[in-house]
């Protein structure tokens, strides 16, 4: 790790479903998390759970420095809709020397550009668990990627026992201590995850949480 960077500190830029899940679960795992977001209502939803959150009008070099994100060991750029901003912010973080920069990509071409400038590209809505190759591990039906030693994202194919049950009926987050980021069904990604969503056997649930919680859910899914 380069001098001046905290390997146990994570910067999150952008709070969509992906960024929010990362920020909350990394915080729960005891990591230092710094969050930047332009839309204040997204920050309001998690302000009581994360200490270092910053509402900003734009993501500039000064903002990156003043917020402390430039000293994080890992920064994840979760800006989704605005591809130009995503690339420019990623480039800015890289140029500040952050040791590991991961950026959300919305297409294969977008991902190629991110990789060309030196970032790791991740595709949360398309194929989470296959593109963040830094620590990809496969165990049975589970595609497993580790963002740090005790926080991971996984693809899990749901067993018959989950068929026709809603997320609310399962009390999913409380029971399994995991966040569902995306459901992949019939090769299409569903990112609007609501409590009344009905799951189907064979759905691929893209979940985020502690390694312990993921392993426990994999076991429950098999029984």
């Amino acid at each position: 790790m380069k001098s001046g960077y905290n390997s146990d500190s994570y910067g999150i830029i952008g709070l969509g479903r992906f960024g929010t899940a990362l920020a909350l679960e990394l915080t729960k795992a005891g990591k230092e998390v710094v969050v930047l977001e332009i839309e204040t209502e997204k920050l309001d939803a998690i302000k009581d759970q994360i200490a270092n959150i910053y509402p900003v009008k734009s993501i500039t070099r000064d903002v990156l420095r003043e917020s402390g994100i430039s000293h994080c060991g890992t920064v994840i750029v979760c800006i989704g809709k605005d591809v130009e901003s995503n690339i420019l912010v990623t480039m800015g973080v890289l140029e500040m020397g952050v040791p590991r920069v991961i950026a959300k990509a919305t297409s294969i071409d977008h991902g190629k550009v991110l990789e060309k400038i030196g970032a790791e590209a991740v595709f949360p809505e398309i194929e989470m668990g296959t593109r963040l190759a830094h620590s990809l591990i496969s165990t049975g039906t589970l595609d497993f990627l580790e963002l740090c030693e005790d926080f991971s994202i996984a693809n899990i194919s749901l067993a018959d026992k989950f068929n026709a049950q809603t997320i609310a009926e399962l009390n999913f987050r409380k029971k399994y201590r995991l966040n569902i980021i995306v459901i992949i069904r019939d090769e299409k990604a569903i990112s609007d995850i609501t409590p009344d969503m009905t799951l189907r056997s064979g759905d691929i649930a893209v979940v985020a949480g502690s390694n312990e919680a993921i392993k426990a859910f994999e076991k429950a899914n098999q029984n």
Side-chain angles (χ1 to χ4, degrees):
M1 184 65 61
K2 296 179 182 179
S3 178
Y5 297 92
N6 180 359
S7 61
D8 226 25
S9 180
Y10 294 79
I12 308 290
I13 301 176
L15 284 177
R17 292 192 65 85
F18 179 53
T20 299
L22 285 172
L24 291 175
E25 294 300 327
L26 285 167
T27 298
K28 189 186 298 183
K31 306 301 179 183
E32 181 182 343
V33 178
V34 180
V35 176
L36 300 183
E37 173 56 57
I38 292 173
E39 298 180 33
T40 54
E41 60 270 21
K42 291 182 178 179
L43 288 172
D44 289 341
I46 64 169
K47 65 182 180 181
D48 295 330
Q49 301 174 69
I50 299 174
N52 300 315
I53 59 175
Y54 298 92
V56 294
K57 293 182 178 179
S58 61
I59 311 296
T60 64
R61 303 294 177 88
D62 287 342
V63 165
L64 294 173
R65 278 191 291 267
E66 290 168 6
S67 65
I69 267 190
S70 60
H71 294 290
C72 292
T74 300
V75 171
I76 304 101
V77 179
C78 304
I79 300 168
K81 293 180 180 179
D82 189 340
V83 173
E84 182 179 358
S85 292
N86 172 289
I87 293 170
L88 289 175
V89 169
T90 301
M91 187 178 299
V93 175
L94 285 164
E95 289 178 351
M96 299 188 89
V98 171
R100 187 181 187 195
V101 180
I102 302 167
K104 175 180 175 180
T106 56
S107 69
I108 298 300
D109 286 341
H110 180 194
K112 287 179 179 178
V113 172
L114 292 169
E115 290 169 356
K116 280 281 188 184
I117 63 175
E120 297 175 53
V122 63
F123 300 74
E125 283 86 3
I126 302 172
E127 49 182 340
M128 181 68 73
T130 62
R131 299 299 299 181
L132 190 53
H134 179 77
S135 52
L136 180 64
I137 307 168
S138 293
T139 55
T141 59
L142 179 72
D143 284 327
F144 185 82
L145 58 96
E146 198 167 51
L147 289 180
C148 64
E149 64 179 303
D150 51 10
F151 173 76
S152 302
I153 297 171
N155 292 353
I156 302 176
S157 181
L158 298 181
D160 290 343
K161 65 188 291 184
F162 293 102
N163 189 53
Q165 296 196 64
T166 68
I167 292 172
E169 288 170 342
L170 290 167
N171 199 8
F172 193 91
R173 185 172 180 183
K174 185 174 182 179
K175 183 175 181 180
Y176 297 109
R177 297 180 294 121
L178 295 171
N179 281 309
I180 298 179
I181 303 173
V182 174
I183 292 290
I184 301 174
R185 178 179 295 165
D186 299 326
E187 299 184 352
K188 294 182 179 179
I190 305 170
S191 58
D192 185 16
I193 309 298
T194 58
D196 60 354
M197 181 179 185
T198 301
L199 300 173
R200 300 178 188 172
S201 60
D203 281 351
I204 297 175
V206 181
V207 298
S210 69
N211 296 345
E212 180 184 1
I214 289 173
K215 289 176 182 177
F217 180 63
E218 186 189 26
K219 184 176 181 180
N221 189 52
Q222 293 172 343
N223 292 335

